[in-house]
Amino acid sequence: MALLVDTGTNGSLRNTEIAATLRQHLPTADIRTPETIGASDEITMIAVGALREDYPQRLPNLKLVQKLGAGVEALIAHPTLPDHIRIARLKPDASAQSIAEWFLAYILRAQRQMRFYENAQSRAEWSPQPPAFAPDTSVGVLGLGHIGGRTAKMLRAVGFRVIGWSRSPKQINGVTCLHGAAALPDLLGQCDHVCAILPSTPSTRALFDADLLAAMKPGSQLLNAGRGDLIDETALIAALDQGKPAHAVLDVTRQEPLPSDSPLWHHPGVTITPHVSGWHLGNALSDVAENFRRLEAGAPLLHEINRELGY
Ligand SMILES: NC(=O)c1ccc[n+]([C@@H]2O[C@H](COP(=O)([O-])OP(=O)(O)OC[C@H]3O[C@@H](n4cnc5c(N)ncnc54)[C@H](OP(=O)(O)O)[C@@H]3O)[C@@H](O)[C@H]2O)c1
């Protein structure tokens, strides 16, 4: 059994670094990179950023594709990856904390009118505005999984009224938990901020179309750190022009990097961050090592995804 590390676009230095870290966790394991691939029929697991199209054919005994990240939509849609090959992802605590902080930061920026004061200061203008108050503010959290659950709890701890939404029923202390498509328009109509942290699946892609955006509360803010294809961006710009929502904070966009001619860059109601909300990964590679051990032992894997659900 051998583990191949190929981050794809990140290049060989990154592969060597990741392989070195994995060797610290698995001192006796056979860990390879594309430069040291050797006999390809010995490779049973591959750790990837993106999976090259020829790998499933080149690695006849491949059993597990371990994504070195969270989103698995490209692996599920991979043109040559057979269904019997398992897929696992990472769920680092550090990344969940990092994304929850990103949501909190941009919500507080709006609550305390920080953009307004930065502009006012540049004009030497003293112009007090009433701030919004967390206990009077409703925040929706769409997706109550690893990251959304952490976000809902953090926002609740700060004092916001939090309404969460997921596919299946959930219980989180102090958070009103709703589930299912029918509950969403009503939730959007109540919330001052909506934090989306959903996977890209057939049921979430383009979920935020013109109709759903029209259900948002006037003056509200939509924040998306999940996947860019959640939102119809043309419909979003039209909705922003109507003030429903009034502002969008996007860490993810349909095309990344966001093309320089995208109208999102210059729309006054849009704030862009370049897919950095989940920057911190902590010691996520220890789970990759653990999955290699579990694969070898025939034990249940960490964070294996369900191809049918798409996450
Ligand atoms: N911007 C970044 O840097 C960054 C970093 C990491 C991850 N992400 C993105 O964030 C996504 C979520 O990550 P996670 O770790 O929190 O995933 P997760 O633990 O799998 O949670 C996904 C959540 O979405 C809910 N969900 C899925 N489909 C739904 C639907 N059709 N309707 C309602 N709720 C639905 C799930 O509901 P159930 O609880 O009922 O299953 C679950 O609560 C990832 O898939 C990835 O695309 C982005």
Side-chain angles (χ1 to χ4, degrees):
M1 289 186 77
L3 164 59
L4 175 64
V5 177
D6 188 354
T7 55
T9 51
N10 291 335
S12 60
L13 179 62
R14 188 90 185 103
N15 291 336
T16 310
E17 283 169 8
I18 291 175
T21 307
L22 287 172
R23 280 187 199 104
Q24 288 169 9
H25 290 285
L26 298 164
T28 58
D30 181 355
I31 299 175
R32 307 179 187 178
T33 63
E35 295 72 33
T36 60
I37 192 163
S40 55
D41 60 348
E42 291 167 0
I43 292 166
T44 49
M45 173 171 165
I46 182 167
V48 293
L51 184 68
R52 279 172 41 168
E53 214 165 302
D54 59 339
Y55 270 143
Q57 200 196 356
R58 282 177 61 199
L59 309 176
N61 292 316
L62 184 64
K63 293 188 171 51
L64 171 62
V65 179
Q66 170 72 59
K67 174 78 194 276
L68 291 167
V72 289
E73 64 276 9
L75 290 174
I76 291 173
H78 193 278
T80 64
L81 187 65
D83 286 353
H84 70 268
I85 296 182
R86 300 159 80 182
I87 301 173
R89 53 161 286 194
L90 295 180
K91 289 197 175 189
D93 275 351
S95 168
Q97 169 77 17
S98 185
I99 294 176
E101 287 178 8
W102 179 90
F103 282 122
L104 178 62
Y106 282 96
I107 290 172
L108 290 178
R109 180 182 75 150
Q111 295 282 105
R112 303 306 304 216
Q113 316 225 28
M114 292 181 192
R115 283 188 316 139
F116 176 87
Y117 291 122
E118 279 162 19
N119 288 330
Q121 184 172 352
S122 71
R123 298 187 297 272
E125 184 182 298
W126 184 271
S127 178
Q129 307 287 318
F133 190 47
D136 300 334
T137 303
S138 294
V139 183
V141 179
L142 313 186
L144 291 174
H146 177 61
I147 303 165
R150 173 78 71 106
T151 302
K153 287 177 198 156
M154 185 184 285
L155 293 169
R156 182 69 203 112
V158 173
F160 290 101
R161 292 194 299 242
V162 183
I163 309 176
W165 183 73
S166 52
R167 193 181 48 79
S168 55
K170 291 271 168 309
Q171 274 194 326
I172 302 176
N173 250 349
V175 174
T176 304
C177 293
L178 307 176
H179 65 278
L184 188 54
D186 227 40
L187 177 157
L188 296 179
Q190 295 176 50
C191 289
D192 304 288
H193 305 271
V194 174
C195 304
I197 183 69
L198 291 161
S200 171
T201 74
S203 352
T204 62
R205 285 194 267 278
L207 180 67
F208 273 79
D209 58 7
D211 287 346
L212 201 64
L213 288 161
M216 292 192 73
K217 186 172 173 178
S220 60
Q221 172 166 261
L222 174 62
L223 306 96
N224 187 18
R227 280 293 178 264
D229 60 11
L230 178 76
I231 299 174
D232 174 338
E233 290 172 353
T234 307
L236 175 64
I237 287 176
L240 288 163
D241 291 340
Q242 306 295 313
K244 276 173 66 166
H247 202 90
V249 188
L250 307 175
D251 187 51
V252 286
T253 51
R254 283 185 164 253
Q255 200 182 329
E256 295 181 8
L258 183 63
S260 57
D261 61 354
S262 167
L264 290 172
W265 280 118
H266 302 293
H267 195 288
V270 178
T271 298
I272 304 285
T273 61
H275 205 137
V276 289
S277 60
W279 187 273
H280 303 282
L281 290 175
N283 64 347
L285 289 179
S286 65
D287 283 357
V288 177
E290 178 61 20
N291 266 352
F292 186 68
R293 278 188 214 104
R294 290 182 181 213
L295 185 68
E296 216 168 16
L301 298 173
L302 293 175
H303 317 313
E304 181 168 5
I305 62 102
N306 178 326
R307 281 175 184 264
E308 296 297 310
L309 292 177
Y311 65 100

